[in-house]
Amino acid sequence: EHKTQQTSVKPNHKFCLCRINTIMQFRRSTIASLLVASIASNASPAVNAFAMSGLGWGPSPKHMASTTSRKATIDDTAECVKNVDLLSLDSIRSTLIRQEETIIFAAIERSQYRRNHIVYTSGGFGDLGVPLGAKAALQDGEEPLSFLEYICIGTEVLHCGVRRYTSPQEYPFFPKFLPDGPLPGLPELEYPVDLLSPIGDACHSNFNEILLDKYLKWVVPSISASGDDEQHGSTVLADIALLQALSKRAHFGKFVAESKYRSDPEEYQRLVDAGDADGVMELLTNAVVEARVLRRARIKASTYGREPLMTQLPIEKADQISDSANFVAAAAASAVASAFQMIDQSDDFQGKVDPAIVQDIYEKFVIPLTKDVEVDYLFRRCGRDPPSEYAPDRMSKDTLPDLREDFCITLPPV
């Protein structure tokens, strides 16, 4: 806990103090929600190992050498997880479920700021040049970078130096500006070589161009109120966090596609050889799972996007929840009550972000783009170029309008 002595704060610092307390409260509630979700999930050892198996950014396979202290604290008889386990659909779905929290919390963070159109405008803050460390420079005739592009490129240059983009599930938005590789002093990270197929360069297709385009045209106007609040730096940092989460989610479709291919390689090969993209799409689609994802995303957005109902308990009642079992039970009941409240009052939601909008983001953007990534991967995996409508610079079924100019929402009451 961070305690602040109010008497030592000068009057002109009250706004900053209020802001810091708000951020700390949000982060504590985020951690608590994740702990409750983790307890409730009761994931299997194989699923839990998938999260720590080396697929994330910054795994430490052989370079985290086993020391005496590590040997003393690690059970050498613990269950091992093989690559085939990591590519099971159950394991992959569990990882995608955990990514929902990241996306929803990032959307909540972005929604607290206004539209701030200037941060997306080329040259909105003049000619910024390119960030320090960028490999490429702007060519003659190229428009100046927007503030978002400038900060995003600088972030990716930094992350590239510490090996983010050596991970098979991380893709940059501006690859031409990145340095040739990580910092020389860092050891090379090793990943299993058979997670994704190199055939047709399937493992390197990058859909971030269309993702960024739709994010600016549709997602930002959908989750933020119009106008400018001068929080430009905070806005683009929230944008980058949400963009990276969406990118990771979409490109994780390659692992889904690889798993499905291995379950029925002959049928996928037959459809690809016939150029039947619709058949491939139909074969990989699981409507029941998609409906479950949409409902879960909406309920999570309702739960995480409002103050916990337990905070409304009288202090004397809250003190009675003394042991951890009762606390978890009370928290679970609070989450259930919040979910039912969302279902009953979906038209009058007063939280941080409208659950219906989060559901729309998944239904109209995240899931369709992920499935486009899967079709692209499967065609390349089977030795053929995908149809033009599945190119990485477009969506095969683009139904998202450009809301940058005419979309306006009202901020929820404080």
Side-chain angles (χ1 to χ4, degrees):
E1 289 288 336
H2 295 271
K3 297 183 178 179
T4 304
Q5 298 296 330
Q6 297 287 351
T7 56
S8 64
V9 179
K10 296 180 180 180
N12 60 344
H13 291 170
K14 287 184 178 179
F15 175 78
C16 294
L17 177 60
C18 178
R19 182 69 173 161
I20 291 171
N21 287 338
T22 301
I23 293 172
M24 292 300 298
Q25 181 183 10
F26 177 80
R27 289 179 176 173
R28 285 196 296 269
S29 65
T30 296
I31 294 171
S33 299
L34 288 174
L35 287 174
V36 172
S38 175
I39 293 171
S41 66
N42 193 24
S44 67
V47 168
N48 288 329
F50 182 74
M52 301 177 288
S53 62
L55 280 180
W57 171 31
S60 309
K62 68 177 184 178
H63 300 294
M64 283 186 63
S66 297
T67 63
T68 303
S69 60
R70 283 176 57 79
K71 288 181 179 179
T73 58
I74 295 179
D75 183 5
D76 291 334
T77 64
E79 182 179 356
C80 297
V81 179
K82 299 180 180 179
N83 290 341
V84 65
D85 299 319
L86 305 182
L87 283 173
S88 70
L89 283 179
D90 287 341
S91 181
I92 289 172
R93 283 170 184 158
S94 176
T95 301
L96 294 176
I97 289 172
R98 284 195 299 276
Q99 290 180 12
E100 292 168 5
E101 278 84 8
T102 305
I103 291 173
I104 292 170
F105 283 127
I108 291 173
E109 281 287 275
R110 177 59 186 89
S111 67
Q112 68 182 301
Y113 305 113
R114 296 278 181 165
R115 192 80 47 80
N116 293 330
H117 178 71
I118 191 173
V119 304
Y120 311 119
T121 303
S122 173
F125 291 100
D127 189 352
L128 300 173
V130 296
L132 183 65
K135 179 180 178 180
L138 295 176
Q139 302 298 318
D140 292 340
E142 283 190 274
E143 293 185 351
L145 298 175
S146 69
F147 191 50
L148 171 65
E149 291 170 335
Y150 182 87
I151 300 297
C152 188
I153 292 171
T155 301
E156 292 188 340
V157 168
L158 177 62
H159 289 183
C160 178
V162 293
R163 304 172 295 190
R164 179 174 192 142
Y165 301 111
T166 63
S167 169
Q169 59 180 345
E170 298 285 355
Y171 293 81
F173 283 86
F174 300 97
K176 77 172 187 176
F177 290 98
L178 299 188
D180 293 330
L183 298 173
L186 296 179
E188 182 180 354
L189 298 174
E190 293 185 356
Y191 294 88
V193 296
D194 57 347
L195 286 176
L196 296 174
S197 173
I199 298 175
D201 210 26
C203 57
H204 293 130
S205 294
N206 188 335
F207 280 72
N208 279 344
E209 179 181 351
I210 185 61
L211 191 156
L212 177 59
D213 180 70
K214 295 302 177 183
Y215 176 82
L216 298 179
K217 292 179 178 179
W218 188 74
V219 176
V220 170
S222 296
I223 64 175
S224 61
S226 59
D228 192 297
D229 57 14
E230 298 185 350
Q231 303 300 307
H232 302 139
S234 297
T235 296
V236 298
L237 291 179
D239 282 324
I240 292 170
L242 182 50
L243 282 167
Q244 289 177 334
L246 290 170
S247 173
K248 185 174 183 178
R249 185 8 171 122
H251 289 99
F252 212 86
K254 296 182 181 183
F255 294 97
V256 178
E258 178 65 22
S259 177
K260 291 183 177 181
Y261 172 83
R262 294 186 185 186
S263 67
D264 194 359
E266 293 82 9
E267 181 63 12
Y268 279 108
Q269 188 67 56
R270 183 188 70 80
L271 291 170
V272 169
D273 288 342
D276 188 0
D278 291 338
V280 173
M281 179 68 79
E282 181 179 358
L283 184 59
L284 63 82
T285 297
N286 188 326
V288 174
V289 171
E290 289 182 12
R292 192 177 301 139
V293 168
L294 295 177
R295 181 169 182 81
R296 188 170 57 241
R298 183 166 184 149
I299 292 175
K300 286 181 179 180
S302 175
T303 303
Y304 304 151
R306 68 173 75 226
E307 290 299 316
L309 297 182
M310 288 179 63
T311 60
Q312 302 175 13
L313 286 176
I315 296 178
E316 59 272 13
K317 295 291 184 181
D319 291 341
Q320 296 175 10
I321 308 176
S322 56
D323 59 80
S324 59
N326 286 336
F327 180 82
V328 171
S334 174
V336 171
S338 177
F340 278 109
Q341 196 174 56
M342 176 275 297
I343 295 172
D344 295 336
Q345 301 179 9
S346 57
D347 294 334
D348 188 30
F349 184 79
Q350 301 297 329
K352 299 181 179 73
V353 64
D354 190 343
I357 291 177
V358 173
Q359 179 176 325
D360 275 351
I361 289 174
Y362 264 83
E363 184 175 11
K364 300 176 181 179
F365 181 48
V366 173
I367 291 177
L369 183 60
T370 302
K371 291 167 70 174
D372 283 357
V373 171
E374 293 178 37
V375 172
D376 172 89
Y377 178 88
L378 288 165
F379 264 81
R380 296 178 188 275
R381 175 74 167 82
C382 294
R384 291 194 58 175
D385 290 334
S388 58
E389 61 266 30
Y390 291 95
D393 62 348
R394 68 198 67 183
M395 293 180 67
S396 61
K397 295 181 179 180
D398 190 353
T399 60
L400 301 179
D402 186 345
L403 304 178
R404 287 174 297 181
E405 300 299 332
D406 57 2
F407 190 91
C408 179
I409 66 175
T410 303
L411 280 175
V414 178

